[in-house]
Amino acid sequence: MSSPFRFTHTVTERFLRYVVIDTQSDPSSPTCPSTEKQKDLGRLLAAELQEMGIRDAHLDQHGYVYATIPANTDRQVPVICFCSHIDTSPDCTGKDVKPQVVRNYRGGDIVLAGDPAQVIRATEHPALAGQIGNDIVTSDGTTLLGADNKAGLAEIMDAAHFLISNPQIKHGVIKILFTPDEEIGRGVDKADLKKLGANFAYTIDGETAGNIEDETFSANAATVTIEGVSTHPGFAKGKMEHAIKIAAAIVDRLPKTTCSPETTEGREGFLHPIGISGALEQATLRFIVRDFTDAGLKEKEALLESIVKEVMKGYPRSTWRLEIKQQYRNMKQVIDGHPEIVDNAMEAIRRAGLKPVKTSIRGGTDGSRLSFMGLPCPNIFAGEHAFHSRLEWVSVQDMEKAVQTIVHLAMIWEERA
Ligand SMILES: [Zn+2]
């Protein structure tokens, strides 16, 4: 079904306005937002929403923007929320972003004007092959672009504007939530879900046009502590059991061709050491465990335990302990309880003229945290590619498709209410 509406082409103007505002977050800062400058963009977004006529739009003290588009239907429609993050990654500078637009892309590599060493190579970015004839926005190569997640901000803003200027399109109450500090894992720390008052939400922060992600990893942390036997090195023969050497032996026995980030993809999980510290007497190994199922997590933790036990056989007077801590869970466990959330999104993507593709995220998202806080929240594409790097890019046409998807989604919830 093709779109019955004449969509405007204003999403790119919005996007170009937002990316020049530096909103990089900072993991070492204890404040919320972690950087005060994120509020510069928050203030602009709230003001633009006000200008559209959204009276309750505001930026709160923690750097969150809330807004409500009132319902214009008599039907009882669940309240849905669209959500994006204001900050950009601490991995790559977002100061003085100079966006460039390659009009009517003809294929091949894109050399970035500000630093010719920065080249978006067609071979390394296979998604470019699907963009022939499109207009591609990049940075000038000296900074990241910030499409992650300013593409999402621009798309939600543009869809809000479209809904408000087309009152003949019926929809329920639509909530908007823009969050700070997503990139440092603190994006929902101060989100007030009571105040938001939504039943279901969608983050607009995914990659390829047409994608919807309803699964994340489930995540645990595992810590192995080894207590060795310390003696004076001059008199240690037959007595000393060295905690550092025990820890090293454990690491050495981890699987070499499976079960690690560098040997897995798709739906495979892993057991990944992230820290080692110690001395003769005591050593600590820290791991993260990732899988899409709880059974998969258990399997990996059992593997770790069996390796530790095996190694410890050689050190009979030393002791060990293994602690497992839950970090986050696959949001599918929550989202599957409300299949209409994903069904409606798939239909909206279809009506925007794209083929919906359901995928999973090899990580956690704010959406997975929101889901377990009581707000089920899958992730819809924003069109962002090559996140957190100077080679980041997004196409104008994909952003326009995302706007259409959001508008159709609002309508579909009303139609099906
Ligand atoms: Zn993002």
Side-chain angles (χ1 to χ4, degrees), residues 216-232:
T216 56
F217 270 151
S218 280
N220 283 352
T223 307
V224 178
T225 309
I226 308 293
E227 305 283 349
V229 178
S230 168
T231 55
H232 187 289

Side-chain angles (χ1 to χ4, degrees), residues 106-248:
R106 304 316 300 165
D109 299 348
I110 300 174
V111 181
L112 301 182
D115 178 358
Q118 300 290 326
V119 181
I120 308 175
R121 293 187 199 284
T123 49
E124 288 159 20
H125 299 262
L128 277 176
Q131 300 287 345
I132 307 293
N134 287 350
D135 307 313
I136 295 173
V137 190
T138 68
S139 78
D140 72 346
T142 61
T143 65
L144 52 59
L145 174 61
D148 174 13
N149 186 210
K150 288 165 182 167
L153 296 176
E155 290 154 4
I156 294 170
M157 292 293 286
D158 210 54
H161 182 255
F162 186 85
L163 288 172
I164 286 163
S165 15
N166 290 274
Q168 78 281 11
I169 296 175
K170 298 297 172 203
H171 56 79
V173 175
I174 307 285
K175 295 283 180 173
I176 293 172
L177 175 65
F178 298 143
T179 60
D181 293 336
E182 188 265 359
E183 298 290 2
I184 56 172
R186 308 200 313 232
V188 300
D189 283 7
K190 303 266 177 180
D192 185 341
L193 297 190
K194 243 201 195 118
K195 168 171 145 183
L196 184 69
N199 300 106
F200 306 116
Y202 299 92
T203 48
I204 308 294
D205 193 17
E207 195 181 24
T208 304
N211 280 13
I212 171 161
E213 296 161 325
D214 65 343
E215 273 204 81
T216 56
F217 270 151
S218 280
N220 283 352
T223 307
V224 178
T225 309
I226 308 293
E227 305 283 349
V229 178
S230 168
T231 55
H232 187 289
F235 309 92
K237 188 168 181 185
K239 295 185 189 124
M240 182 188 284
E241 294 187 359
H242 202 311
I244 292 176
K245 292 183 181 173
I246 298 172

Side-chain angles (χ1 to χ4, degrees), residues 367-381:
S368 59
R369 285 183 65 198
L370 286 172
S371 295
F372 286 93
M373 286 162 70
L375 184 62
C377 185
N379 187 36
I380 293 178
F381 75 93

Side-chain angles (χ1 to χ4, degrees), residues 16-304:
L16 296 177
R17 206 159 51 232
Y18 304 153
V19 293
V20 296
I21 300 171
D22 178 10
T23 57
Q24 191 175 41
S25 49
D26 175 5
S28 68
S29 158
T31 59
C32 179
S34 67
T35 52
E36 200 58 25
K37 61 191 176 187
Q38 294 180 59
K39 287 187 177 172
D40 296 343
L41 179 53
R43 256 186 298 274
L44 175 70
L45 294 165
E48 289 187 3
L49 288 164
Q50 282 277 352
E51 237 167 78
M52 290 178 199
I54 301 182
R55 289 211 215 102
D56 73 343
H58 68 283
L59 171 73
D60 79 358
Q61 82 222 65
H62 306 297
Y64 291 71
V65 175
Y66 296 83
T68 311
I69 308 176
N72 61 1
T73 177
D74 297 331
R75 297 191 189 194
Q76 290 299 309
V77 187
V79 177
I80 61 168
C81 173
F82 294 103
C83 182
S84 282
H85 63 90
I86 293 170
D87 65 317
T88 61
S89 168
D91 297 345
C92 181
T93 177
K95 192 172 179 303
D96 300 322
V97 173
K98 295 178 199 72
Q100 327 264 306
V101 185
V102 179
R103 300 265 170 219
N104 191 12
Y105 173 64
R106 304 316 300 165
D109 299 348
I110 300 174
V111 181
L112 301 182
D115 178 358
Q118 300 290 326
V119 181
I120 308 175
R121 293 187 199 284
T123 49
E124 288 159 20
H125 299 262
L128 277 176
Q131 300 287 345
I132 307 293
N134 287 350
D135 307 313
I136 295 173
V137 190
T138 68
S139 78
D140 72 346
T142 61
T143 65
L144 52 59
L145 174 61
D148 174 13
N149 186 210
K150 288 165 182 167
L153 296 176
E155 290 154 4
I156 294 170
M157 292 293 286
D158 210 54
H161 182 255
F162 186 85
L163 288 172
I164 286 163
S165 15
N166 290 274
Q168 78 281 11
I169 296 175
K170 298 297 172 203
H171 56 79
V173 175
I174 307 285
K175 295 283 180 173
I176 293 172
L177 175 65
F178 298 143
T179 60
D181 293 336
E182 188 265 359
E183 298 290 2
I184 56 172
R186 308 200 313 232
V188 300
D189 283 7
K190 303 266 177 180
D192 185 341
L193 297 190
K194 243 201 195 118
K195 168 171 145 183
L196 184 69
N199 300 106
F200 306 116
Y202 299 92
T203 48
I204 308 294
D205 193 17
E207 195 181 24
T208 304
N211 280 13
I212 171 161
E213 296 161 325
D214 65 343
E215 273 204 81
T216 56
F217 270 151
S218 280
N220 283 352
T223 307
V224 178
T225 309
I226 308 293
E227 305 283 349
V229 178
S230 168
T231 55
H232 187 289
F235 309 92
K237 188 168 181 185
K239 295 185 189 124
M240 182 188 284
E241 294 187 359
H242 202 311
I244 292 176
K245 292 183 181 173
I246 298 172
I250 292 168
V251 173
D252 188 54
R253 289 197 193 199
L254 292 172
K256 297 202 168 41
T257 57
T258 58
C259 212
S260 62
E262 64 271 31
T263 58
T264 53
E265 61 184 356
R267 294 191 54 82
E268 302 164 313
F270 53 74
L271 172 65
H272 176 45
I274 55 163
I276 178 165
S277 62
L280 205 174
E281 239 182 345
Q282 193 196 64
T284 305
L285 281 164
R286 290 184 302 119
F287 292 83
I288 58 172
V289 192
R290 298 291 185 264
D291 203 277
F292 287 98
T293 65
D294 289 352
L297 287 178
K298 284 223 176 71
E299 212 173 87
K300 286 165 189 70
E301 288 154 9
L303 170 70
L304 177 60

